[in-house]
Amino acid sequence: MKITAQEISNAQSALTQNGIVSNDGTYSKEFNGYISSFGASLVQAGLLPTIIFFENKDASTEKDRSLVISALKQLLCIADKPSMAKYIIETKKANDQEFINDVTRAMTAMKLALRMYKKN
């Protein structure tokens, strides 16, 4: 899977607009872990359980893990949906391989874009 420069550029915008990367070009190391672990969770648990896990705002995490899903929704052009999990259920995309591939591409672009910034 080749990620294009445009996809990385879009991911940069999503990372900054959703508060993962700050105005000074830095990000909290926790976000690196969240984005990196997303892929493993997707493979092991599946799309819907992974999204539910990441969207959970009540989790006792260092940083707000749901920001990763907000950025993902922006990249998938579904930012207007209040809940990605609900969107997946309503549109029956939990096992839609094309949608899962789109999610994987978007997350890969985010992971690459994040490497362009400094951890703090």
Side-chain angles (χ1 to χ4, degrees), residues 31-65:
F31 286 112
N32 187 50
Y34 298 156
I35 291 172
S36 292
S37 67
F38 187 94
S41 179
L42 184 62
V43 169
Q44 289 201 316
L47 179 63
L48 188 57
T50 298
I51 297 299
I52 291 169
F53 176 76
F54 275 78
E55 271 188 328
N56 182 6
K57 290 185 179 196
D58 296 331
S60 57
T61 56
E62 280 291 316
K63 298 291 178 181
D64 185 0
R65 194 173 44 212

Side-chain angles (χ1 to χ4, degrees), residues 8-9 12 15 21 25 27 109-118:
I8 294 171
S9 178
Q12 282 182 286
L15 290 170
V21 174
Y27 65 93
M110 264 200 282
K111 187 173 183 177
L112 291 170
L114 196 65
R115 291 180 182 169
M116 299 172 72
Y117 301 101
K118 286 187 166 189

